[in-house]
Amino acid sequence: MECVMGVVGRDFAVVAADTSAVQSILVHKTDEDKVMVLDSHKLMGASGEPGDRVQFTEYIQKNLHLYQFRNTIPLSTAATANFTRGELATALRKNPYMVNVILGGYDKDAGASLYYIDYISTLHKIDKGAFGYGSYFCLSLMDKLYHPDMTVEEAVDLIDKCIKEIRLRLVVAPQNFVIKIVDKNGAREYARRDLVGDNASVDAATTVTA
Amino acid sequence: MAMKVDMSALETNFSIPCLDDGDGMHFSADSPDVPSMVLPTCADFDGFQAATKDMVKNKRGTTTLAFIFDKGVIVAADSRASMGGYISSQTVRKIIEINPYMLGTMAGGAADCQFWHRNLGNKCRLHELSNKRRISIAGASKLLANILYSYRGMGLSIGTMIAGFDEKGPGLYYVDSEGARLVGNRFSVGSGSLYAYGILDEGYRFNMSVEEAAELARRAIYGATFRDAASGGCVSVYHVGPDGWKKLSGDDVGELHYHYYPVQKTSVEQEMTDAPSTSA
């Protein structure tokens, strides 16, 4: 099952997700990017049914861009989270989107923030969170090892420990992960952790991009 | 007493139950020729609806594959159509020519695939006329994926790959009726796809000649037809290059089998001779 997790640090947020696209017992691909860059300073990691995930995150992304075109200023992370939750809620009783979202963003005034939005429109502002079967192993790890104002290295190290635990303990664990970061310089991919596929390396924790 | 003939192959979900008096089937005199369905009782209409959708849903009895390599895209498929245990055709064209530079593969409901690929071809042509340039493979697959997404849950059964060559080079997308759209370098779809993946993943390299790539595709489909009961017939292999698609080969899998595994002549250990005749 798909794992998405996020952690907030000193003025940045990290969102990580696995990169497998699975259907029953078949892995279609091992490099499917599930953390969408919504705009210059927002990341949305999503997990859920394949059609819903892509359609919903693209819908949020395009509406964010529309807001910016109309109003010349981008939407804040908090407003984006509430907008996303509202869209999920409106669709819930008609044509629900089966998508769980971890939204990370950086605003000049509010700093870095992380939001947990699940498929039935629950919204929480969080410091650390995870979705999927991986969350059973990660959340307690995060509870123990997290402390406020972590540096980038500490936060990525926490994510790496979570990935290691998922690979160790989850039956049929996803092999490859992507880690993305958002800070005052913008939202970008930080690293990949690939065990299989064309970019796999012997050392599982090798960084591909930094 | 004659043995009872197994008529289960003639059973369909749409016929009126035949009266069987023990001396064979016969149809009642006043049964109409039109097929009829069991009408739902009011007790569990949702259950009946779910069961009907499940009955109509075709398991994707097929093997199709496509992969990108340095000289373009190879697309290959088998040609068997099956309805449960009955093989209804061995000569189905599962590679659909959407336009001269784009191919689609068929897995799932044949009618669904054919109709929606034809519809996609129309939309691509309209795009060309409105925009004075060809549509990209990404765009074409997105058009199809959005249409299929809007029909989600309504019983369409389509597992297709859109393969082609556009300005950005070779393109390959997997699109299905659940709404998924995946970009990738190699895919295989259908009940035999797992078998095909085994051979495809092992032999795949980005740098191959067209002949090597076609042989890999042919071998992978053959391997799947060997193990999967719902795949068979002939293997069609197409190549899509910068100038469009071209059909490379169509081989019967039975013949391919003896091509890959020729019959070994066993050595004769003992020759039989006639028994010596006993003199009377």
Side-chain angles (χ1 to χ4, degrees):
Chain A
M1 187 155 150
E2 307 178 345
C3 309
V4 188
M5 45 198 153
V7 156
V8 146
R10 191 172 291 153
D11 332 286
F12 65 91
V14 171
V15 179
D18 75 288
T19 58
S20 61
V22 169
Q23 197 160 35
S24 143
I25 62 167
L26 178 64
V27 178
H28 277 299
K29 56 190 297 217
T30 50
D31 57 358
E32 173 78 354
D33 189 353
K34 298 179 199 164
V35 184
M36 176 175 273
V37 175
L38 289 183
D39 70 10
S40 61
H41 287 79
K42 286 181 199 55
L43 288 173
M44 178 180 270
S47 73
E49 309 234 322
D52 282 349
R53 170 173 61 79
V54 171
Q55 294 280 347
F56 182 70
T57 52
E58 284 185 359
Y59 173 69
I60 299 295
Q61 184 194 51
K62 300 314 174 205
N63 273 290
L64 234 55
H65 290 175
L66 183 62
Y67 182 92
Q68 185 162 358
F69 286 139
R70 284 187 176 146
N71 301 291
T72 71
I73 54 163
L75 208 55
S76 69
T77 309
T80 307
N82 279 284
F83 169 67
T84 306
R85 190 213 79 88
E87 290 303 312
L88 280 170
T90 313
L92 182 64
R93 303 285 184 195
K94 296 176 193 158
N95 188 14
Y97 293 107
M98 289 299 182
V99 190
N100 298 312
V101 163
I102 298 266
L103 175 70
Y106 182 86
D107 307 295
K108 275 210 246 335
D109 44 0
S113 46
L114 196 68
Y115 289 87
Y116 169 107
I117 306 167
D118 84 9
Y119 71 102
I120 38 178
S121 319
T122 310
L123 172 65
H124 288 300
K125 185 170 188 301
I126 52 170
D127 293 327
K128 55 207 182 323
F131 275 116
Y133 285 129
S135 69
Y136 288 101
F137 307 105
C138 300
L139 286 173
S140 50
L141 252 185
M142 286 174 165
D143 287 337
K144 173 165 184 241
L145 298 174
Y146 176 83
H147 56 88
D149 290 335
M150 296 203 294
T151 63
V152 175
E153 288 71 30
E154 288 174 324
V156 174
D157 187 58
L158 174 57
I159 296 286
D160 275 333
K161 289 194 163 82
C162 293
I163 291 174
K164 193 168 163 193
E165 184 64 10
I166 291 172
R167 281 177 175 158
L168 178 64
R169 290 293 181 189
L170 181 57
V171 67
V172 203
Q175 315 264 43
N176 296 350
F177 289 81
V178 65
I179 303 176
K180 294 198 179 177
I181 189 171
V182 59
D183 61 14
K184 66 182 190 322
N185 299 323
R188 59 197 180 279
E189 184 176 302
Y190 181 85
R192 295 242 173 181
R193 303 289 188 234
D194 284 350
L195 268 185
V196 295
D198 299 331
N199 294 322
S201 49
V202 175
D203 178 8
T206 300
T207 303
V208 175
T209 59
Chain B
M1 199 60 95
M3 270 183 21
K4 209 144 159 83
V5 179
D6 176 20
M7 300 282 201
S8 61
L10 298 179
E11 272 172 15
T12 70
N13 285 309
F14 288 103
S15 66
I16 302 155
C18 308
L19 303 172
D20 186 357
D21 287 351
D23 57 338
M25 293 194 314
H26 63 270
F27 300 95
S28 68
D30 52 345
S31 61
D33 282 341
V34 296
S36 71
M37 291 177 75
V38 175
L39 289 176
T41 61
C42 293
D44 183 21
F45 184 67
D46 288 332
F48 170 77
Q49 203 174 36
T52 313
K53 265 202 206 159
D54 207 57
M55 171 199 78
V56 175
K57 185 189 286 256
N58 293 302
K59 320 301 178 233
R60 298 190 188 149
T62 192
T63 311
T64 60
L65 63 81
F67 58 88
I68 293 180
F69 68 121
D70 65 339
K71 297 184 179 61
V73 197
I74 293 283
V75 184
D78 74 317
S79 68
R80 176 175 289 184
S82 48
M83 287 166 19
Y86 174 68
I87 298 174
S88 43
S89 171
Q90 291 270 60
T91 54
V92 178
R93 299 179 104 217
K94 294 190 188 177
I95 298 181
I96 298 161
E97 295 144 9
I98 299 172
N99 62 40
Y101 61 98
M102 213 188 307
L103 293 173
T105 60
M106 178 200 295
D112 287 340
C113 290
Q114 278 176 359
F115 178 85
W116 288 109
H117 279 126
R118 190 85 181 263
N119 184 273
L120 178 65
N122 289 344
K123 294 215 159 45
C124 291
R125 181 66 183 141
L126 286 172
H127 178 99
E128 270 179 37
L129 292 169
S130 316
N131 298 80
K132 280 200 190 168
R133 54 189 282 178
R134 278 182 177 170
I135 192 171
S136 63
I137 310 300
S141 60
K142 191 73 176 169
L143 273 178
L144 182 63
N146 285 341
I147 293 171
L148 295 183
Y149 183 74
S150 64
Y151 285 99
R152 236 165 71 95
M154 296 191 202
L156 282 184
S157 169
I158 298 175
T160 185
M161 294 177 285
I162 307 291
F165 212 100
D166 60 21
E167 285 163 5
K168 297 193 210 85
L172 178 61
Y173 287 82
Y174 165 79
V175 179
D176 78 11
S177 46
E178 265 85 73
R181 172 177 171 267
L182 301 171
V183 62
N185 277 341
R186 56 188 190 273
F187 289 111
S188 176
V189 182
S191 57
S193 63
L194 275 67
Y195 302 113
Y197 267 124
I199 297 179
L200 181 59
D201 285 335
E202 196 270 330
Y204 175 81
R205 287 176 334 271
F206 186 72
N207 297 305
M208 284 192 280
S209 68
V210 175
E211 222 358 274
E212 282 177 322
E215 180 53 31
L216 176 66
R218 200 174 299 122
R219 189 62 198 260
I221 297 281
Y222 157 77
T225 60
F226 185 69
R227 287 289 180 181
D228 178 32
S231 303
C234 347
V235 182
S236 309
V237 182
Y238 284 66
H239 171 243
V240 193
D243 303 324
W245 57 259
K246 179 165 180 246
K247 180 162 183 179
L248 294 180
S249 66
D251 301 289
D252 181 276
V253 296
E255 285 163 26
L256 273 183
H257 174 79
Y258 292 108
H259 172 67
Y260 293 131
Y261 302 103
V263 177
Q264 308 284 2
K265 272 187 96 84
T266 50
S267 58
V268 179
E269 287 168 2
Q270 252 187 332
E271 268 211 29
M272 276 205 326
T273 54
D274 288 339
S277 58
T278 53
S279 47

